[in-house]
Amino acid sequence: MTTIKLHNTKTRKKEVFTPIDPGNVRMYVCGPTVYDRAHLGNARPVVVFDVLFRLLRHVYGEGHVTYVRNFTDVDDKINARAAESGRTIGEITAETTQWFLDDMAALGALEPTHMPRATQYIPQMVAMIEDLIARGHAYAAEGHVLFAVDSWREHYGALSGRSVDDMIAGARVEVAPYKKNPMDFVLWKPSTPDLPGWESPWGRGRPGWHIECSAMAYELLGESFDIHGGGNDLMFPHHENEIAQSCCAHPEGDFARVWMHNEMLQVEGRKMSKSLGNFFTVRDLLDQGIPGEVIRFVFLSTHYRKPMDWTAEKAEQAKATLMEIWSLVSETVATEPSVGVMDALADDLNTPQAIAEIHEMVSEIKSGSGDPRMLFASMKLLGHFNFAPSISSLGWGPFSDEEHRAAIDLARRWMALRVAKDFAAADRLKTAASELGVELKVTKEGGQQAAQAKFNKKVSIEELEALQ
Ligand code: AMP
Ligand code: ZN
């Protein structure tokens, strides 16, 4: 079996990865707060941990990996968005959740095994908070419940490498009258009648952000699991607080064994973020006609522990590379990925090295040696050429622009027949397309119906246009 090495933030070392149970490798990754379109930076952890998910499935078997990524659907940012837009919280979170799924699918990300929504786990959060109080790690005050950092002082800060004293000196803490110690953080807070709230032993209220991940990870993965991931901006305080809560509520377990953090996506040297206003969304790029495959390939060209810059030039190069690779593999069947690509991924997800191996294979094939089937399989392992192109969302890439247009045109023609209620003609077109290896189906894009053409093989423009 391939030996995987992963860099563990907790030990600051690259370590050989040994799962607790090779029959069920378990990973948790912090997901988005759903109040707006995902910006390009938000997509980085999704792609990084999708590569890891694919690698783990390849090594341990598809049914032997459990990947959990949550949706935070209760949060002050969501409440603020509802108040300013006049829409309900439910409308906003449902719409944004679907946007996120559509946009990430366009980047070729597999859906995680479980995608829990925080609001579906409130009783588990309340139970965990009660347990923390009973064990002397938390206290209720003025409708709030706070985690008592002093009760775990010698361990708190180990992940991010800071001591409690440093943190207080750094004044990265919020002082509030109901806190015994300024470092204490909120597990539960009171809600006014106009805000979302649930009945609890401390009155009507809502959970703090950190307890959500602890409760969902415990419920779906148990008290000890293998990998916890997220962006390095979450290391403190979010992950530090998750560890404190989970280890204190479940001292029999050790929560996550390996912690992995991706570096930030940057724009001109600064983190891309909503608060800095220097962001664009994944959807912006897709709408500009930059295919999801291209965005993914650009991401993979930088190692996940290095900051990366998005540039239009990188996207152009990636598109050219993908089209060249596609021309070499499109007539073949994928076999096994190359040893070079496997070794690169197994070495702490060294995707730039994997891409260097891909380029090497391309040159070999062009010079007459080399195996296109292995190249195809290597690309699939990286999450490319897996053929679930959402034509309507321009999610698919390595077609030429003309092929792309012909494919979109087919999806449009089919949708037009359905809208006109000419179901007989629509069905004829669908059957003819399916005989060519193209599946036509209806999807939801941001709450609206859209047609999707899913290609199971390459089809020429002439064949697409001839379809009736
Ligand atoms: P947020 O919605 O800000 O809580 O972020 C959701 C996920 O996106 C987290 O895993 C963050 O670490 C990650 N993230 C946010 N901004 C960036 C960025 N500029 N680059 C990479 N990851 C980011
Ligand atoms: Zn989290």
Side-chain angles (χ1 to χ4, degrees):
M1 189 178 278
T2 312
T3 303
I4 299 178
K5 287 188 180 161
L6 299 174
H7 183 270
N8 188 351
T9 309
K10 200 154 82 175
T11 58
R12 287 157 185 75
K13 281 200 211 70
K14 216 192 276 187
E15 298 170 347
V16 171
F17 174 66
T18 316
I20 300 169
D21 171 9
N24 183 17
V25 182
R26 284 160 290 161
M27 166 160 88
Y28 186 96
V29 174
C30 297
T33 303
V34 279
Y35 65 102
D36 209 347
R37 282 271 182 203
H39 64 64
L40 193 62
N42 296 137
R44 195 171 189 200
V46 174
V47 172
V48 165
F49 292 102
D50 181 63
V51 173
L52 180 56
F53 185 36
R54 288 172 185 276
L55 175 68
L56 293 171
R57 282 159 48 109
H58 188 79
V59 172
Y60 294 96
E62 278 198 12
H64 299 290
V65 185
T66 304
Y67 172 19
V68 178
R69 188 187 61 217
N70 69 293
F71 284 106
T72 293
D73 60 352
V74 46
D75 185 274
D76 290 347
K77 290 192 221 88
I78 306 174
N79 302 340
R81 181 58 54 96
E84 81 202 15
S85 66
R87 301 176 68 204
T88 68
I89 287 172
E91 277 165 12
I92 291 171
T93 57
E95 176 181 76
T96 319
T97 298
Q98 193 56 48
W99 282 346
F100 185 84
L101 292 173
D102 293 341
D103 294 351
M104 298 311 129
L107 303 184
L110 294 170
E111 286 202 347
T113 324
H114 302 285
M115 295 190 281
R117 288 153 172 72
T119 51
Q120 292 167 345
Y121 289 80
I122 302 288
Q124 289 87 340
M125 294 173 204
V126 169
M128 197 164 183
I129 297 171
E130 285 183 302
D131 203 14
L132 286 169
I133 296 176
R135 290 171 187 267
H137 290 295
Y139 58 94
E142 298 177 30
H144 292 73
V145 183
L146 292 127
F147 184 91
V149 169
D150 267 337
S151 74
W152 212 59
R153 195 178 176 99
E154 65 279 24
H155 306 285
Y156 190 76
L159 179 73
S160 53
R162 347 167 169 222
S163 70
V164 173
D165 295 332
D166 290 347
M167 289 185 255
I168 293 175
R172 298 199 47 168
V173 292
E174 190 194 340
V175 186
Y178 46 81
K179 285 188 183 181
K180 289 187 186 160
N181 176 325
M183 289 303 300
D184 295 349
F185 57 88
V186 166
L187 302 173
W188 189 263
K189 54 189 163 191
S191 282
T192 49
D194 55 317
L195 289 175
W198 292 263
E199 289 310 324
S200 81
W202 319 287
R204 187 175 172 279
R206 59 195 197 279
W209 171 37
H210 318 301
I211 195 74
E212 297 177 4
C213 286
S214 283
M216 291 185 279
Y218 175 67
E219 195 64 22
L220 294 164
L221 299 175
E223 69 275 352
S224 305
F225 57 93
D226 298 295
I227 300 168
H228 193 311
N232 66 357
D233 56 336
L234 301 185
M235 208 187 298
F236 179 83
H238 183 55
H239 289 162
E240 210 70 78
N241 293 354
E242 278 189 39
I243 295 175
Q245 298 159 159
S246 294
C247 291
C248 289
H250 305 292
E252 69 285 9
D254 39 23
F255 196 39
R257 299 228 168 140
V258 181
W259 282 85
M260 292 177 68
H261 291 98
N262 63 273
E263 252 290 352
M264 293 292 103
L265 187 85
Q266 300 190 334
V267 186
E268 284 156 31
R270 300 180 79 194
K271 171 186 168 184
M272 173 179 278
S273 84
K274 290 199 180 112
S275 52
L276 291 173
N278 62 349
F279 73 95
F280 43 89
T281 67
V282 175
R283 182 55 47 177
D284 290 338
L285 292 182
L286 296 171
D287 286 348
Q288 285 163 26
I290 299 175
E293 294 256 353
V294 168
I295 301 173
R296 182 178 184 100
F297 201 74
V298 171
F299 275 14
L300 298 187
S301 66
T302 301
H303 189 258
Y304 77 92
R305 288 195 288 116
K306 298 223 166 81
M308 84 160 276
D309 256 313
W310 170 267
T311 65
E313 195 191 331
K314 284 186 188 173
E316 280 303 315
Q317 275 171 7
K319 184 162 186 197
T321 306
L322 284 166
M323 285 185 66
E324 176 169 44
I325 300 173
W326 179 243
S327 71
L328 299 175
V329 303
S330 59
E331 305 294 328
T332 64
V333 177
T335 50
E336 278 296 301
S338 82
V339 173
V341 168
M342 274 302 289
D343 285 352
L345 291 183
D347 181 16
D348 192 31
L349 301 185
N350 193 340
T351 51
Q353 179 58 32
I355 290 181
E357 297 284 339
I358 296 277
H359 281 295
E360 187 70 24
M361 291 163 88
V362 168
S363 331
E364 280 171 16
I365 295 168
K366 281 176 21 191
S367 68
S369 58
D371 180 359
R373 296 169 308 166
M374 194 181 263
L375 174 59
F376 199 0
S378 303
M379 289 300 285
K380 281 178 177 285
L381 180 62
L382 289 171
H384 281 287
F385 301 163
N386 283 302
F387 287 158
S390 169
I391 293 300
S392 52
S393 70
L394 305 181
W396 172 236
F399 294 131
S400 68
D401 291 345
E402 294 73 39
E403 285 171 318
H404 204 145
R405 269 194 287 278
I408 292 173
D409 182 55
L410 170 65
R412 284 216 185 102
R413 277 194 282 143
W414 179 61
M415 201 58 177
L417 291 172
R418 289 173 54 92
V419 170
K421 298 212 177 344
D422 188 351
F423 293 113
D427 287 348
R428 269 199 307 279
L429 186 59
K430 185 180 160 88
T431 308
S434 137
E435 280 162 7
L436 263 190
V438 183
E439 253 175 76
L440 288 170
K441 55 183 187 177
V442 175
T443 58
K444 278 224 159 166
E445 295 273 339
Q448 284 182 341
Q449 281 210 341
Q452 188 185 68
K454 182 176 169 205
F455 284 72
N456 296 316
K457 63 193 251 301
K458 185 165 165 69
V459 178
S460 73
I461 299 181
E462 293 72 35
E463 284 174 309
L464 284 178
E465 287 177 348
L467 280 175
Q468 299 276 337

